[in-house]
Amino acid sequence: MSSSGPNNSGDVPTLLVKDSEGRDLLCFLEQLIPLDGKDYALLTPVDTPVCLFRLKDGDEPEVIDSITSNEPILSVADVVLQEHELTLVRSAVTLTVNGELDEPDPEDLDEDEAGDDESETYELLVSFLVDELEYGLYIPLDPFFVVARMDDGAAVLVEGDEFDQIQPRIEAELDERELSE
């Protein structure tokens, strides 16, 4: 993955986050946020996050939220990505792609027509056919953040009800920090 900014400076710490199923995701530590005597970490994946969509003629692409790691669709995606010298990683939180890829230029995105449909918040990385159905792996254009709770130096993914409760408070804390800068 080639990118510019603080994440390539080499001095940004990384944490390995585990989810409830034991999968992990290597992330850059962006912020530490203390709440209720616990430290929460705002993280971004080291590898490029991707989303799997089912593509239908004439219809909007349909995001596939849950997929098992041994799904045949992912095996085909593996092969297609290998042709581009990329590797699909079945990590915690999201699928990621490891390897050198061009990231979208934010200036190019500003030229796109404004709108709120999903196709404009993702960039197609690759598309492929499985059993005569077309699928695509898309890169989210908005920043992809992961929230983890720090427990004895380990990062534990915040999921489910805990995420629903803590997420608005983390956003409020980040907004407050921005205002004080």
Side-chain angles (χ1 to χ4, degrees), residues 57-88:
D57 288 335
D59 288 340
E60 288 294 317
E62 174 189 335
V63 69
I64 299 174
D65 286 325
S66 63
I67 189 163
T68 60
S69 62
N70 59 356
E71 192 79 33
I73 296 166
L74 297 182
S75 298
V76 174
D78 280 329
V79 172
V80 172
L81 287 170
Q82 287 171 8
E83 293 171 5
H84 299 278
E85 298 181 10
L86 299 170
T87 306
L88 183 65

Side-chain angles (χ1 to χ4, degrees), residues 13 22 69 80 92 97 103 107 111-114 146 152 163 178:
S69 62
V80 172
V97 172
E103 297 211 7
E107 292 176 12
E111 296 170 11
D112 291 344
E113 291 179 26
V146 176
D152 296 325
F163 178 80
E178 274 185 31

Side-chain angles (χ1 to χ4, degrees), residues 6-179:
N7 290 349
N8 272 354
S9 65
D11 59 0
V12 177
T14 57
L15 292 170
L16 193 61
V17 180
K18 291 211 176 284
D19 68 8
S20 59
E21 296 178 22
R23 295 175 301 194
D24 52 24
L25 177 65
L26 185 61
C27 293
F28 292 112
L29 174 62
E30 300 294 337
Q31 302 254 352
L32 264 182
I33 302 154
L35 292 173
D36 302 332
K38 298 176 185 170
D39 282 332
Y40 289 89
L42 187 62
L43 311 165
T44 55
V46 169
D47 292 330
T48 304
V50 292
C51 298
L52 179 64
F53 282 82
R54 182 176 296 117
L55 308 176
K56 300 177 186 174
D57 288 335
D59 288 340
E60 288 294 317
E62 174 189 335
V63 69
I64 299 174
D65 286 325
S66 63
I67 189 163
T68 60
S69 62
N70 59 356
E71 192 79 33
I73 296 166
L74 297 182
S75 298
V76 174
D78 280 329
V79 172
V80 172
L81 287 170
Q82 287 171 8
E83 293 171 5
H84 299 278
E85 298 181 10
L86 299 170
T87 306
L88 183 65
V89 182
R90 293 148 176 87
S91 45
V93 185
T94 185
L95 296 170
T96 58
V97 172
N98 182 302
E100 288 290 324
L101 67 112
D102 296 324
E103 297 211 7
D105 183 350
E107 292 176 12
D108 292 343
L109 301 176
D110 292 341
E111 296 170 11
D112 291 344
E113 291 179 26
D116 59 357
D117 78 24
E118 282 189 355
S119 64
E120 294 180 24
T121 59
Y122 295 92
E123 179 179 319
L124 179 64
L125 177 61
V126 294
S127 63
F128 51 92
L129 293 173
V130 177
D131 297 329
E132 299 180 23
L133 295 174
E134 188 175 9
Y135 295 89
L137 285 175
Y138 284 77
I139 300 170
L141 298 178
D142 292 328
F144 189 94
F145 291 106
V146 176
V147 177
R149 183 182 62 257
M150 300 305 296
D151 286 338
D152 296 325
V156 178
L157 181 67
V158 176
E159 301 176 273
D161 290 341
E162 183 183 8
F163 178 80
D164 293 341
Q165 292 171 1
I166 208 73
Q167 186 251 349
R169 296 181 61 205
I170 287 174
E171 285 181 5
E173 175 66 24
L174 292 172
D175 288 345
E176 191 174 301
R177 288 181 184 187
E178 274 185 31
L179 290 175

